């Protein structure tokens, strides 16, 4: 995911580009899904100021509290997802990257759902 972008409300994984999947394919490395639950309550976004973002040439300018709220964070590391071996053509690489993206998104969503379902309280 791009820096500064997030899954919105922290409950759903966004559709993002296949850059990480193409990198994993080229390197022959697995993708390890990592879900973080709690950060969205510790530093909630109250909105954005598009004018300042344009003025400062930033992708966005969020409005958030100066200090984080107390919140329990849970970091869950999922099982590695192996990258397909040996796509030869550009079309095969694109298909393989798309499949790896879909598997990664599904794994991340499962991790988020599991952690959010087991949470009793935001703060401990």
């Amino acid at each position: 995911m791009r820096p500064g972008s997030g899954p919105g409300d922290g409950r759903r994984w966004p559709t993002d580009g296949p850059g990480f999947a193409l990198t994993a394919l080229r390197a022959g490395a697995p993708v390890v899904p990592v879900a973080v639950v709690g950060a969205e309550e510790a530093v909630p976004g109250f909105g954005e100021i598009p004018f300042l973002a344009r003025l400062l040439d930033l992708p966005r300018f969020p409005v958030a509290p100066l200090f984080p709220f107390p919140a329990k964070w849970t970091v869950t590391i999922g099982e590695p997802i192996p990258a397909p071996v040996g796509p030869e053509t550009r079309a095969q690489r694109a298909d393989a990257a798309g499949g790896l993206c879909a598997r990664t998104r599904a794994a991340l969503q499962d991790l988020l759902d599991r952690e959010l379902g087991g949470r009793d309280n935001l703060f401990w």
Side-chain angles (χ1 to χ4, degrees), residues 71-88:
K72 178 182 177 182
W73 286 40
T74 305
V75 178
T76 308
I77 300 171
E79 293 295 320
I81 303 167
V85 179
E88 298 293 326

Side-chain angles (χ1 to χ4, degrees), residues 17-41:
F20 75 92
L22 289 169
T23 301
L25 287 171
R26 286 187 191 118
V31 174
V32 180
V34 177
V36 178
V37 173
E40 62 278 2
E41 283 91 17

Side-chain angles (χ1 to χ4, degrees), residues 17 35 37 41 48-49 54 57 59 62 87 95 98 114 121:
V37 173
E41 283 91 17
E48 293 189 15
I49 305 174
R54 285 190 303 275
D57 196 28
D95 287 343
R114 183 178 66 198
N121 191 313

